[in-house]
Structure formats: structure tokens, C-alpha cells
Amino acid sequence: MSAKNRVKVAVTGAAGQIGYALLFRIASGQMFGPETEVELQLIELEQALGALKGVAMELDDCAFPMLKKITCTSDYAVGFKDVNWAILVGSVPRKDGMERADLLKINGGIFTTQGQAIAANAAKDVRVFVVGNPCNTNALICMNAAKGVPSDRFYAMTMLDENRAKTQLAQKAGVDVTAVSNMTIWGNHSATQYPDFYSAKINGKPASEVITDTEWLKGTFIETVQKRGAAIIKARGLSSAASAANAVVDGIFNLTHDTKNGDNFSMCLASNGEYGVDKGLIFSFPCTTVGGKLKIVEGVKLNDFSTEKFNVTLNELRSERDAVKELGLI
Ligand SMILES: NC(=O)C1=CN([C@@H]2O[C@H](COP(=O)(O)OP(=O)(O)OC[C@H]3O[C@@H](n4cnc5c(N)ncnc54)[C@H](O)[C@@H]3O)[C@@H](O)[C@H]2O)C=CC1
Ligand SMILES: O=C([O-])CC(=O)C(=O)O
């Protein structure tokens, strides 16, 4: 079989935990399909290049048939050169005692420089998928810095939240996880996100009809999904890595393959005013890919409960945007 396509993929933070769980899955063909050749352009801080070399050696040792080239660099101009995809994983997450403004400032610097380097070096069709937290606002900064790259090419990840929510609903209903569809995460990838059980379906029926324990849906379910990242950190002593990497694979698969069977998936992207979200805000919406194009699903009904939850996460994203505006980052 001869391969038809080749993609160049940049991954920042490639020697980190998520990088270690992600690169092998990209190289194996799980993300872009078994007929697409892959070139990996791995970007790390200078001090992590030694560890990155080890990861590259392991990639070599897998003899993946579709992996055609590996570049390891700390130079953005080299790392983002001609890439079709930029997966931005490396960032500085909040540490104990760190003020939010400090966090936004540090990441603002990283994502401004990366946005500029993407605009200057990447392929014309580049798409940017931000994982590093705070991912919505990092994507906003990157999008604003990447002059000339259309704003509809920037995404932030709520796929992990969606997968977490699906499993919680399936376990509660006593069904297979594949029975759960249309699981929308609205808003920010943070503890304010709204996993919308009202629009989710179980075996094609509204989840809120299959699971009649409304108190659980409105309380434990939402909280479990919102706080799952913190629960993993508490249990593992480290943040989610394999499940996050898996969500990157699912998320980019969803962006590159048409959505089937009336389902939708959650993706953070720049609003065009849908559902009253401020234009340009990177907000998680229910989406589909149709004919290779990403679309926000319109017309999802939000009742009073959903509207209240929706507004909380929207207001959080507005305040993050205002903070980075004040810092002169956008
Ligand atoms: N959106 C989501 O659902 C999730 C997001 N995350 C976030 O993903 C990020 C990465 O997580 P881990 O891999 O566990 O962290 P990690 O600390 O293991 O790895 C991060 C790597 O990024 C590198 N790095 C830092 N700044 C960089 C820069 N400017 N350029 C290139 N590389 C840089 C570091 O050297 C490090 O190797 C964190 O911000 C984490 O909060 C984690 C889980 C889920
Ligand atoms: O909570 C964290 O720091 C990591 C993360 O984003 C998640 O697991 O959802």
C-alpha cells in the first residue's frame, strides 16, 4: 500500500508526561490514519533536549512504518517550519502560591512567541491545538499573536472532559460507554466548565430520562467532571497524562474525520457570537466536522439550569480575557 499523504506535526513540551504518552500514538498512525505518513518536529526547552533525545531514540526503536522523520529542537523557527499541525502541550501550569496574573504573564510570553513563530514558519494550512493550561486563554493569546493565520485554526482541548463525562454517565446508567453520545462540554477547560447532561444521549435517548437521579446529575456528576483533574493529581501525585494524550488523539481525529451518526464532540474555538458568546473568545462548544470543516452545532436548547452554568464559565473566560488584555498580551 502506498501512502497518499504526509503531515508535519510540531509538538511542544514533547519530553513531558503528556508528550511521552502522545508521540507514540501519533507515530503509530492512530491520529491521522494508517495511510498518512508523519514527520514529528519535537520542541522542548534547551534543558530538556537530552531527555527528548531519549524519547526520539525510543520512537526510532518502535520502527513505526508511517514515521518518516523526527526533528528535536528548542528553536521555534525550526520546530514550526512548514508544520500542518502545531500541538502546544508545553506550558507552565499554576503552582502553589502563584497568582493568576503571574501565571497568565508567564504563559502569555510563551504563547505570544509561539504564535508569532507559527505565523512566520508554519504551512499555510496550519492548525493549532492547545493543551497546555490555561488552555483556552493560551489559545486566545496564541491566536492573537499569530498574525495572518485565520482565527478558525486555533483550538483548545475539552476532549478529556468530554471523555470523563461520558464514562461517568455510562457507569451511572450501567451501559457501555459507547452508548453515550452528544456529550457537550461548554466553556472553559477549568472547574467552571459545564458538562451538559441535558443534551447528552444514552442509546439515543436524553441522558436525563435514562438517569432519573436528577440530584446526582446536577450535583455529583458535574462536580466529578469539573474536578477530575485535581482528583487525578491527588491520587497519582502527577496530573493526567495518558488520558490527556488519549484525548489529544481523539480531539484531532474528530477534527480531521467527518462526524458520524448525528453525534457531536466538544472543542474550544473562537466564537463568532454563537450562543451569545463574545466574538473571539475561545469557548468550548458542541461541534461536528462536515466535509472536513469544523462547525459549531447551533440550536442546542439551554434551560434555566444550563443557562446559569453556561454563564458562570462564560464569565470566567471573559475575566481571563480581560486580565490578559490588561497585561497587553492581546
Ligand atoms: N487541556 C487538558 O485537558 C489538559 C491539559 N494539561 C496541561 O498540559 C500541560 C503539560 O502537561 P504535562 O505533560 O503533564 O507537563 P510536564 O511538566 O510533564 O511537561 C511539560 C513539558 O513542557 C516543556 N516546556 C515548558 N515550556 C516550554 C516551552 N516554552 N516550549 C517548549 N516546551 C516547553 C517542559 O520542559 C516539559 O518537558 C500542562 O499545562 C497541563 O496542565 C494536562 C492535562 C489535561
Ligand atoms: O487539572 C490539571 O492540572 C490537568 C488538567 O487540565 C486535567 O487533568 O484536566
Side-chain angles (χ1 to χ4, degrees), residues 93 131 133 160-161 164 189 193 228-230 232-233 239-241 243-244:
V131 179
N133 281 320
L160 177 55
D161 311 288
R164 289 166 170 166
H189 171 69
Q193 66 176 275
R228 188 68 162 186
I232 302 282
I233 293 172
S239 62
S240 329
S243 56

Side-chain angles (χ1 to χ4, degrees), residues 167-247:
T167 296
Q168 292 302 316
L169 290 181
Q171 288 180 353
K172 178 74 175 174
V175 298
D176 193 87
V177 72
T178 56
V180 184
S181 66
N182 306 85
M183 182 65 242
T184 298
I185 305 294
W186 297 99
N188 200 2
H189 171 69
S190 77
T192 66
Q193 66 176 275
Y194 174 43
D196 179 6
F197 56 87
Y198 280 115
S199 61
K201 292 181 181 159
I202 297 176
N203 286 319
K205 284 196 199 139
S208 56
E209 285 175 19
V210 178
I211 299 170
T212 51
D213 186 349
T214 309
E215 206 179 308
W216 180 87
L217 286 168
K218 288 182 166 177
T220 307
F221 166 70
I222 293 179
E223 250 181 59
T224 303
V225 177
Q226 288 176 332
K227 296 186 178 159
R228 188 68 162 186
I232 302 282
I233 293 172
K234 191 152 183 266
R236 227 169 72 81
L238 288 167
S239 62
S240 329
S243 56
N246 178 66

Side-chain angles (χ1 to χ4, degrees), residues 88-325:
L88 307 184
V89 181
S91 78
V92 177
R94 196 211 285 252
K95 297 187 184 83
D96 251 1
M98 201 188 249
E99 293 297 326
R100 207 168 58 123
D102 296 334
L103 179 78
L104 293 173
K105 205 184 255 174
I106 296 169
N107 283 302
I110 296 174
F111 285 85
T112 298
T113 318
Q114 291 184 353
Q116 290 165 342
I118 288 167
N121 296 288
K124 287 276 163 281
D125 66 353
V126 67
R127 299 171 92 182
V128 182
F129 189 89
V130 181
V131 179
N133 281 320
C135 62
N136 295 59
T137 296
N138 287 341
L140 180 75
I141 294 167
C142 187
M143 177 180 85
N144 279 277
K147 301 283 176 241
V149 182
S151 57
D152 63 0
R153 308 276 193 77
F154 294 82
Y155 319 104
M157 186 166 92
T158 40
M159 193 67 221
L160 177 55
D161 311 288
E162 176 182 325
N163 284 341
R164 289 166 170 166
K166 278 180 168 167
T167 296
Q168 292 302 316
L169 290 181
Q171 288 180 353
K172 178 74 175 174
V175 298
D176 193 87
V177 72
T178 56
V180 184
S181 66
N182 306 85
M183 182 65 242
T184 298
I185 305 294
W186 297 99
N188 200 2
H189 171 69
S190 77
T192 66
Q193 66 176 275
Y194 174 43
D196 179 6
F197 56 87
Y198 280 115
S199 61
K201 292 181 181 159
I202 297 176
N203 286 319
K205 284 196 199 139
S208 56
E209 285 175 19
V210 178
I211 299 170
T212 51
D213 186 349
T214 309
E215 206 179 308
W216 180 87
L217 286 168
K218 288 182 166 177
T220 307
F221 166 70
I222 293 179
E223 250 181 59
T224 303
V225 177
Q226 288 176 332
K227 296 186 178 159
R228 188 68 162 186
I232 302 282
I233 293 172
K234 191 152 183 266
R236 227 169 72 81
L238 288 167
S239 62
S240 329
S243 56
N246 178 66
V248 180
V249 176
D250 284 351
I252 294 184
F253 184 92
N254 284 334
L255 288 169
T256 49
H257 295 78
D258 280 9
T259 313
K260 292 194 181 129
N261 306 324
D263 204 355
N264 53 255
F265 58 90
S266 306
M267 188 62 62
C268 309
L269 71 160
S271 163
N272 266 313
E274 294 87 352
Y275 295 94
V277 175
D278 316 30
K279 202 168 182 314
L281 210 60
I282 303 278
F283 191 90
S284 182
F285 288 105
C287 294
T288 54
T289 299
V290 182
K293 274 197 78 78
L294 181 65
K295 290 190 170 161
I296 293 174
V297 175
E298 303 220 45
V300 174
K301 295 272 178 289
L302 295 166
N303 63 16
D304 287 350
F305 179 85
S306 294
T307 302
E308 196 188 316
K309 298 284 177 199
F310 183 101
N311 285 335
V312 171
T313 194
L314 173 58
N315 285 332
E316 183 182 54
L317 278 171
R318 284 174 171 154
S319 79
E320 287 187 22
R321 176 203 55 203
D322 293 347
V324 294
K325 217 177 222 172

Side-chain angles (χ1 to χ4, degrees), residues 8-81:
K8 290 191 188 203
V9 186
V11 181
T12 69
Q17 296 197 80
I18 294 177
Y20 194 65
L22 173 64
L23 300 177
F24 299 86
R25 298 196 53 193
I26 303 175
S28 73
Q30 277 177 304
M31 185 179 280
F32 296 103
E35 290 187 41
T36 301
E37 296 176 341
V38 177
E39 290 186 26
L40 287 175
Q41 302 188 186
L42 308 180
I43 305 175
E44 256 299 348
L45 298 178
E46 185 120 25
Q47 62 264 30
L49 286 177
L52 184 60
K53 184 165 180 240
V55 179
M57 287 160 68
E58 283 205 70
L59 282 163
D60 276 343
D61 293 348
C62 292
F64 286 121
M66 303 312 281
L67 179 59
K68 297 303 173 192
K69 193 174 173 193
I70 306 169
T71 305
C72 296
T73 184
S74 58
D75 181 344
Y76 292 158
V78 174
F80 291 123
K81 184 83 193 138

